[in-house]
Each structure stands twice: as C-alpha cells, then as structure tokens.
Amino acid sequence: MTAAGRLLVDIHTHVYLPRYASLLRKRTSVPLIRSATTREGTTEERLLILDHEPSGGRPVGAQYWDREEKLKFMDRHGIDVSVVSTANPWLDFLPAPQAHSLASELNNDLEEYCASSPDATAQGYSIKRLYGFGLLPLVPEISTSALLEIVQQISELPHLRGLIMGTRGIGKGLDDEALDPVWAAIEKAGLVIFLHPHYGVDGKAWGDKDNGHVLPLALGFPFETTIAATRLILSGVFDRFPTLRLLLAHSGGALPALSSRLASCIDHDPVVASRLKHDARYYLGRLYLDAVAYGPEELGFVSDTIARSERYISGSSVSPAPDRSSGSKRMLFGTDHPFFPPLSSTEKWKSVVENLESIDAVQGWSQADKDGVRGKNAMELFKLRE
Amino acid sequence: MTAAGRLLVDIHTHVYLPRYASLLRKRTSVPLIRSATTREGTTEERLLILDHEPSGGRPVGAQYWDREEKLKFMDRHGIDVSVVSTANPWLDFLPAPQAHSLASELNNDLEEYCASSPDATAQGYSIKRLYGFGLLPLVPEISTSALLEIVQQISELPHLRGLIMGTRGIGKGLDDEALDPVWAAIEKAGLVIFLHPHYGVDGKAWGDKDNGHVLPLALGFPFETTIAATRLILSGVFDRFPTLRLLLAHSGGALPALSSRLASCIDHDPVVASRLKHDARYYLGRLYLDAVAYGPEELGFVSDTIARSERYISGSSVSPAPDRSSGSKRMLFGTDHPFFPPLSSTEKWKSVVENLESIDAVQGWSQADKDGVRGKNAMELFKLRE
C-alpha cells in the first residue's frame, strides 16, 4: 500500500476511445486512421492528425484505445492514477450538431472507462486508477446553451474532474468574449481546464528540410499554447474569472520564459498598458502547469515564475527572490502517453524516465515538493478522494 | 576613469543610418518612413516596418539616426561602449544588385560612424565608444561571391566586429546549404553573427483583438529567433563550423526553455535521431545570448542552459548540476535602443533599468559574473582593444 501522499499521478495522458477511433477509421480526410500494408506484408494502422503529416502518419495500435494497455503502461512505470484525456484534435473537425452529440457520448464512455477501472491501492483512501477530462464541443456555430449543457454533464459525471480543450474556441480563439458564459460555468463547477495544443503555427516557418515531426512538435506545439494563454491573459479572462483553474500542457510552453518580455511589451504599448489589473507575470501564479518539460532546469525555472507572481500583484511592494518550493505546488507530473513511444523497445519509456528524473533533480525542491509534483498536487487539484 | 573590466557595453542597440533613413523616406511600401500631421498640427515622421502595422506605425525621430542622440542615451544610462547594428529589416526587401551596393555603402558609413566616435575613458585601454555589426546583402538571387566580398569588406573595416542578419537567408532560411561558404568565411574572419528577428510568425495566430504590438513583439520575435536557431542546429551547421560565433537576440527567445523538449523530440524521430553529433542541448553552450530578457529568473535559467551543455557532449558521462557562473560567460548586456522608449518621459528608460537590475539580481552569479555580462564578456568577444 502506497501512502496517498506518495502516489504517482499522471495528469497528461491521452486516449482515443473506441467510439472515437471508429470515427477516425471511417474518415477520408485528416484526422483519420488508415490501414496500410508494411514492407513485411503485415497490416498496420497509421494515424494522421495533421495536414501534410510527415512519414505517412504514425503507427497506432491498442495503446491508443485499449484500457488494458493504459493500465499496463501505468504498471510498468509505477503510475498509480491517471487522469486521462481524449487526444487532439478532439471534436474540432466536426459540424456543430455532431460535435455536440459525440461530446455527450464520449463523456459517458470516459466515465464508464474510469468508473469500472481497478482501485488504486492507496493507504487510507478509496481511489480509482483512472479519472478523466471530458470534452466540450468547441466548434464554430455551436450554441452557448449546448456548451453549457455539456459543462453540466461533465460536472455530474463523478469520475470526470475537468475538461480538455484546444486553442480555437468556437472559431475565434479563447479570447472571444462569447466564451464568457462558458468560463463562468466551468469556474462555478470547479472543473479544471486542460489547455492543449494541436495546430502549432503556420508550417511555412519550418522550411524545406526534412526534420520529421521535430519542429512542429518541439516548437509549434508549445508556441500554440503560449499564444493561447497569452491571449487569455491579455483579454482579461483571469481578471473576470478569478477562480478559473487552467492547466497548461508542456509546462506552459514558452510562456514562463517570455513572461517578463511580455510584461515589458505591455508596459510599452498604450493600447494594452492600462487594460489589465496586474503585471502579466502575476497571472502565471494563477495557472497550473504540467511537469512535461524533460529537464530539471526547465522545471526549476517554471516553478520560479509561478513563485514570483506575488511580486507582481498590482500595488505590491514585496520583491523577495522567489521561493521555488511554493511554485512547485502548481506543477503536476505527466507522460504524454501514448505519444513519444521509444524508438527501440525498452522496459520503461525514456520520455517518462526523463520527466521523473527531472522532477527528482530540481535544485531547491524538497522531497515534499517532489512528492507534490509527482502526485499530491494532482490529488488536491482533482479532489481524488472518494 | 572606469577600469576596463567594469565597462558597461551595449551589444544590442540599433540605428537607421542617414543613408538608410533616406531610402525609407522615398519608399511607398513597407518598410518606409512617412510624414504625418499630428492632431496638434505639427509634423512628425512615422516608421512602418511590418505589413498591417498597428497604430499607423511608430513615431521616429533623431534617436533612430543621429549619433549624438545615441551618445546621449549612452551617457544617460552609463553605457561606455555600444556595438551598433542596423535595425530590421536590413536589406531584406531590396533586389540583389541594390542590396549588394547598399550593404557596401552602409558598412563604410557605419565604420565612419564608429571610427570618428569619441574615446571611451577606460583605464589602461584605448577604446572607442562605438563599434558596429556590418550588413550582408542576404536576399534572393544574390551570388555567393557577392556575399563573400562583403564578408571580406566587413572583416577589413577596423571598427566592425561582426554582422547582423535576419532569419531568411537568401530566401530559404539559414539552414540552406548554399550558405555554407558564407559560414566558412565568417568563421574564418572571426566575425560574430548577431541573429535578430523581424518577421515573427504568421499573424493569423494573434486573432482579432487589438493588442497593439504586444503579441508580435513579445511572442512573434522570440519565436522567429527560436525557429531559426533550431533549424541551424538541426541542419548540422554547428557540427560543420565548430568555431562559428552566433549571438542570439532576446536571450535566444524560447530556445533555452524548449531545448530539452527539442532533444526529446529529436530522440523520438527516426528522421533526425542519427543526424547530429550531440544532444541538441550541447549546442546551446556554443551560442552567445544577449541579456535582454527583462527578468533575473530568466537570465539565471538561460545561463543554466548554457552551463549544462557539457552534460550533453556525445559520450559524456558527467552529469553535475550546472554552474550558472560558467553560463554567464556567454551572455551580454543589451538595450534594444531606440526601440521600447518609455511611454512617459523619464530620466532613464524603464526597459534598460529593468535589464540592468535583472543582471544584478540573478541568484548564483558572482559580482565578477555580473561585470562579465555588463561588459567584460563583450570586450572579449568583440576584442574591444586597440
């Protein structure tokens, strides 16, 4: 039995539920799953989720939809609990009525996926091994009432503790005031929003060379998250919804590293300078960030930018050096499973081991801080107690 | 008299030389300078350097071209020496023959601008107050011989110690093998390349809201630098030209923060995994980065990513925590003058004060490290001794 405070909880882990995978198999434009014959004459399925995807898409198999594979992966890496989310591109490509009905069905599917999962063997608590982020039908022409209905559905499904979303909103991005009733409902329901990229930035930026998926994944994904979170800050969403809980994928991308530059650019721009209640850096302390950054220096720095946020409350005169320890409280372990499988078969996935070793190696984090990032912060944020 | 080891040297400071400003005044498409009548009935000049520039461009005046204004700015902020560069978009918009002849003329102009500048009052050294980065005519259809001729010109002008360039190369970016002879010549001449953004990323990413210049400047600029530097790494330029000296604007943008993610994505991509000699993080220790990041946590983190690079030499088995002190050796103070003027008139510019205070507040940097970043590193990198 693991003490509940020492559980390892993975909050960045994806699934294409069987209903979703079936839909992808029927499609003829991306996103889609197609069957292909390998050089060896066997049949494999390949997933294409991006236009102009290099290498004819990536091979997919049971680890993308089969719950037993998720549990095996968790066992292999010592993960006690996973908070699972549908992988991108979610419902973004569907017409509004279909997105609406499929969101409702997939949320019920995910509830069943979690509710019927095994119990985690945690001392003093009754916990399932699987919880979930629901899906909103955030697509153009969806009605506000349809969105609010699905927020209500998610809030009533006992094993869903948040929802995952991309960056396009209902077509104009997340800084669209039309979303204000949705933020209000999510805030009131106490659900965590997991903000995740899919589109990157315009592919012309990557040039002509064949660099595989490296540029769109290593740079495009975090750039997209950075832009979306920055536009949310600039739009005043965090001033209007002060208890909204937003979790950013990939440790917030480039937002922590560019946050002082952002504050300086705001300071120097008459259009924006007077709009926000606080210095831009204040809002970073309001966010939650996964610990999927692959290096201890990155994690330490990200926790610095969370910790320093109180220096930037409007009117504040405190300016102590930030205490990394306090910044760690809003950071949460994740794996990005089933993406980033190792090229060669190994017992443990290198990407997972790197992220765990990084947490362990952050200078200035106590053992309690590390336990927090490994699981305790997630236990509290997602109220994983029954 | 200031001891030479304590000089304040600004390596990120721009000028539109009079010959360049005259050209911009004659143009009818961006980049251009136009005269406008203000609400008060006076005439002012406005600079437009980007398509769809918000607010009708920015007001410009003598601080953009007049050397006396540069020296006054330096005096006001205690800057002993500036290494001046033409501001973006350089010669990018010109046909090859005109870019070629203008590069040559502007390099001579800048040599004169520096050579006839006052002496800095430094103990034990004879130093001018102004040095420069020359211009290459990096535009489509330019011949390699024209580029090599200009590299040669710059290397022979005694007060030019490097060259500034954007990210487009001769049309296909900086990872274009056609540039290999240029890298070879620059490396051989010992010139420093200052890599600076101009284009950002596709503006559709910024959405419909009026956020002034904030998004393209705070995010677009550093994203562009990050992409260009990453493409250089992926193309193997640093393996082929091991003593090439590249200085990245704005502390490398998001490259330090995304470098472990970059390394992980490379590891997981069969197309790229075997191409490079070292882990991507190794190459960060080969770069020089300005200290224009507006926050002490940012500067400390950037120096960590430089310092840790030796962990990532191929075959290395050392894995000590990085020593920030050693990372500071490749970081150099800059102001970005005459951009980011304060909105209200003040004795000192807030952006400059912030960057100086940030250097002073980095945890783990000794006074010698801070003196290095303030000037001594630049003295060595640009060999500012006569």
Side-chain angles (χ1 to χ4, degrees):
Chain A
M1 299 285 270
T2 307
R6 301 296 298 273
L7 294 179
L8 184 59
V9 182
D10 180 2
I11 58 83
H12 189 155
T13 179
H14 298 300
V15 66
Y16 291 123
L17 290 167
R19 186 190 303 273
Y20 190 93
S22 298
L23 170 72
L24 294 188
R25 286 193 190 94
K26 287 179 198 142
R27 289 177 54 84
T28 54
S29 59
V30 291
L32 60 83
I33 293 172
R34 63 180 179 83
S35 283
T37 305
T38 65
R39 280 186 208 161
E40 293 74 31
T42 58
T43 301
E44 67 168 13
E45 290 195 313
R46 293 184 85 92
L47 170 72
L48 287 95
I49 54 175
L50 302 168
D51 285 322
H52 318 296
E53 182 131 7
S55 322
R58 69 194 88 199
V60 283
Q63 74 275 24
Y64 281 78
W65 38 79
D66 186 333
R67 192 177 67 182
E68 287 311 305
E69 292 294 321
K70 181 70 76 185
L71 290 166
K72 270 193 225 164
F73 169 82
M74 291 167 62
D75 289 341
R76 178 178 296 176
H77 296 90
I79 296 166
D80 298 285
V81 178
S82 289
V83 187
V84 174
S85 50
T86 295
N88 48 297
W90 316 287
L91 307 169
D92 282 21
F93 52 94
L94 295 172
Q98 196 184 349
H100 185 189
S101 58
L102 196 59
S104 175
E105 290 164 355
L106 287 168
N107 288 335
N108 285 326
D109 289 354
L110 188 58
E111 170 61 25
E112 170 63 20
Y113 176 103
C114 300
S116 60
S117 73
D119 292 326
T121 50
Q123 221 167 22
Y125 289 106
S126 167
I127 314 177
K128 288 286 173 191
R129 295 200 67 186
L130 295 168
Y131 293 84
F133 289 100
L135 278 175
L136 278 189
L138 275 173
V139 297
E141 296 176 31
I142 194 81
S143 68
T144 302
S145 63
L147 292 169
L148 297 181
E149 182 197 301
I150 300 292
V151 171
Q152 180 69 22
Q153 179 207 19
I154 294 170
S155 73
E156 290 172 357
L157 290 170
H159 295 84
L160 302 194
R161 301 296 165 92
L163 48 90
I164 187 165
M165 66 171 66
T167 65
R168 295 214 163 163
I170 56 174
K172 291 184 168 181
L174 299 180
D175 52 4
D176 183 351
E177 282 91 359
L179 293 174
D180 272 12
V182 180
W183 305 130
I186 293 170
E187 183 182 48
K188 194 173 169 206
L191 294 167
V192 176
I193 299 167
F194 185 17
L195 182 64
H196 194 287
H198 172 69
Y199 300 96
V201 295
D202 190 284
K204 284 197 285 290
W206 312 135
D208 297 338
K209 305 284 169 200
D210 184 2
N211 289 309
H213 288 83
V214 169
L215 289 164
L217 284 182
L219 305 185
F221 262 36
F223 287 174
E224 181 188 358
T225 307
T226 306
I227 294 168
T230 302
R231 285 173 55 181
L232 275 173
I233 291 172
L234 294 177
S235 75
V237 160
F238 297 105
D239 289 330
R240 293 201 297 287
F241 303 99
T243 63
L244 194 66
R245 297 189 296 170
L246 188 72
L247 167 66
L248 299 187
H250 314 117
S251 294
L255 182 61
L258 300 179
S259 56
S260 291
R261 179 172 174 85
L262 174 63
S264 178
C265 287
I266 291 172
D267 254 354
H268 289 83
D269 206 304
V271 173
V272 190
S274 61
R275 186 193 297 163
L276 298 179
K277 281 194 185 164
H278 306 283
D279 181 291
R281 285 166 282 195
Y282 163 72
Y283 302 99
L284 272 78
R286 297 279 313 285
L287 300 170
Y288 297 86
L289 304 170
D290 74 24
V292 183
Y294 306 94
E297 290 76 26
E298 283 82 350
L299 296 179
F301 169 66
V302 168
S303 67
D304 282 345
T305 65
I306 299 171
R308 75 184 178 187
S309 73
E310 50 189 284
R311 283 209 305 244
Y312 300 105
I313 296 175
S314 195
S316 168
S317 59
V318 299
S319 61
D323 170 21
R324 284 192 167 182
S325 193
S326 70
S328 73
K329 304 284 184 287
R330 286 173 173 267
M331 299 179 65
L332 306 95
F333 169 69
T335 62
D336 226 338
H337 180 261
F339 299 96
F340 300 99
L343 290 188
S344 55
S345 159
T346 54
E347 181 62 20
K348 293 197 176 189
W349 287 26
K350 185 174 178 188
S351 57
V352 178
V353 171
E354 275 178 342
N355 277 319
L356 284 171
E357 287 180 349
S358 294
I359 292 168
D360 207 47
V362 175
Q363 291 189 297
W365 281 4
S366 67
Q367 190 55 50
D369 296 332
K370 295 169 188 174
D371 289 342
V373 176
R374 290 168 53 93
K376 194 156 177 286
N377 299 343
M379 297 286 289
E380 290 174 6
L381 179 61
F382 295 102
K383 303 186 182 70
L384 300 185
R385 292 154 193 207
E386 290 185 349
Chain B
M1 297 288 269
T2 306
R6 302 296 297 272
L7 293 179
L8 184 59
V9 181
D10 180 3
I11 57 83
H12 189 155
T13 178
H14 298 298
V15 66
Y16 290 122
L17 290 167
R19 186 189 304 271
Y20 190 92
S22 297
L23 170 72
L24 294 188
R25 286 193 190 92
K26 287 180 198 140
R27 289 177 53 83
T28 54
S29 59
V30 292
L32 61 83
I33 292 172
R34 63 181 179 81
S35 283
T37 306
T38 65
R39 281 187 207 160
E40 294 73 32
T42 59
T43 301
E44 67 167 13
E45 289 194 313
R46 293 185 85 90
L47 169 71
L48 287 94
I49 53 175
L50 303 169
D51 285 321
H52 317 296
E53 181 130 11
S55 324
R58 68 194 89 201
V60 283
Q63 73 275 24
Y64 282 77
W65 38 79
D66 186 331
R67 192 177 68 183
E68 287 311 303
E69 292 294 321
K70 183 69 78 186
L71 291 166
K72 269 193 225 166
F73 169 82
M74 291 166 64
D75 289 341
R76 179 179 295 176
H77 296 90
I79 295 166
D80 298 286
V81 178
S82 289
V83 187
V84 175
S85 49
T86 294
N88 48 298
W90 317 286
L91 307 169
D92 282 20
F93 51 94
L94 296 172
Q98 197 184 348
H100 185 188
S101 59
L102 196 58
S104 173
E105 291 164 354
L106 287 167
N107 289 335
N108 286 325
D109 290 353
L110 186 59
E111 171 61 24
E112 169 64 20
Y113 176 103
C114 301
S116 62
S117 73
D119 292 326
T121 51
Q123 223 167 21
Y125 289 107
S126 166
I127 313 178
K128 289 287 174 190
R129 295 202 67 188
L130 296 169
Y131 293 84
F133 289 100
L135 279 175
L136 277 189
L138 276 173
V139 297
E141 294 175 33
I142 195 80
S143 68
T144 301
S145 64
L147 292 169
L148 297 180
E149 181 196 304
I150 300 291
V151 171
Q152 180 68 23
Q153 179 205 20
I154 294 170
S155 72
E156 291 172 358
L157 290 170
H159 294 85
L160 303 193
R161 302 296 166 91
L163 48 91
I164 187 166
M165 66 172 63
T167 63
R168 295 214 164 164
I170 57 173
K172 291 184 168 183
L174 300 178
D175 51 4
D176 183 350
E177 281 93 359
L179 294 174
D180 272 13
V182 181
W183 305 131
I186 293 170
E187 182 183 49
K188 192 171 171 207
L191 294 167
V192 176
I193 300 168
F194 184 17
L195 181 63
H196 193 287
H198 171 69
Y199 300 96
V201 294
D202 189 284
K204 284 197 285 291
W206 312 134
D208 297 337
K209 306 284 169 198
D210 184 3
N211 289 310
H213 288 83
V214 169
L215 289 164
L217 285 181
L219 305 185
F221 263 35
F223 287 175
E224 182 187 357
T225 307
T226 305
I227 294 167
T230 302
R231 285 173 55 181
L232 276 173
I233 291 172
L234 293 178
S235 75
V237 161
F238 297 105
D239 290 330
R240 293 200 296 285
F241 304 99
T243 63
L244 194 67
R245 298 189 296 169
L246 187 73
L247 167 66
L248 299 187
H250 313 117
S251 294
L255 181 61
L258 300 179
S259 56
S260 290
R261 180 172 174 84
L262 175 63
S264 178
C265 287
I266 291 171
D267 255 353
H268 288 84
D269 206 304
V271 173
V272 190
S274 62
R275 186 192 297 161
L276 298 178
K277 280 195 187 165
H278 306 283
D279 181 291
R281 285 166 283 196
Y282 163 73
Y283 302 98
L284 272 78
R286 297 277 316 283
L287 301 170
Y288 297 87
L289 304 171
D290 75 24
V292 183
Y294 306 95
E297 290 76 25
E298 282 83 350
L299 297 180
F301 168 66
V302 168
S303 67
D304 282 344
T305 65
I306 298 171
R308 75 183 178 187
S309 73
E310 51 190 284
R311 283 209 305 245
Y312 300 105
I313 296 175
S314 197
S316 169
S317 59
V318 298
S319 63
D323 169 22
R324 285 193 167 181
S325 192
S326 70
S328 73
K329 304 284 184 285
R330 285 172 174 266
M331 299 179 65
L332 305 95
F333 169 69
T335 62
D336 226 339
H337 180 261
F339 299 96
F340 302 99
L343 291 186
S344 55
S345 158
T346 54
E347 180 62 20
K348 292 196 176 187
W349 287 25
K350 185 176 178 188
S351 56
V352 179
V353 172
E354 275 177 343
N355 277 318
L356 283 171
E357 288 181 349
S358 294
I359 293 168
D360 208 45
V362 174
Q363 291 189 297
W365 281 3
S366 68
Q367 189 56 49
D369 295 333
K370 294 169 188 174
D371 289 343
V373 177
R374 288 169 54 92
K376 195 157 177 289
N377 299 344
M379 297 285 290
E380 290 173 8
L381 179 61
F382 296 101
K383 304 184 182 74
L384 301 184
R385 292 155 192 205
E386 289 183 352

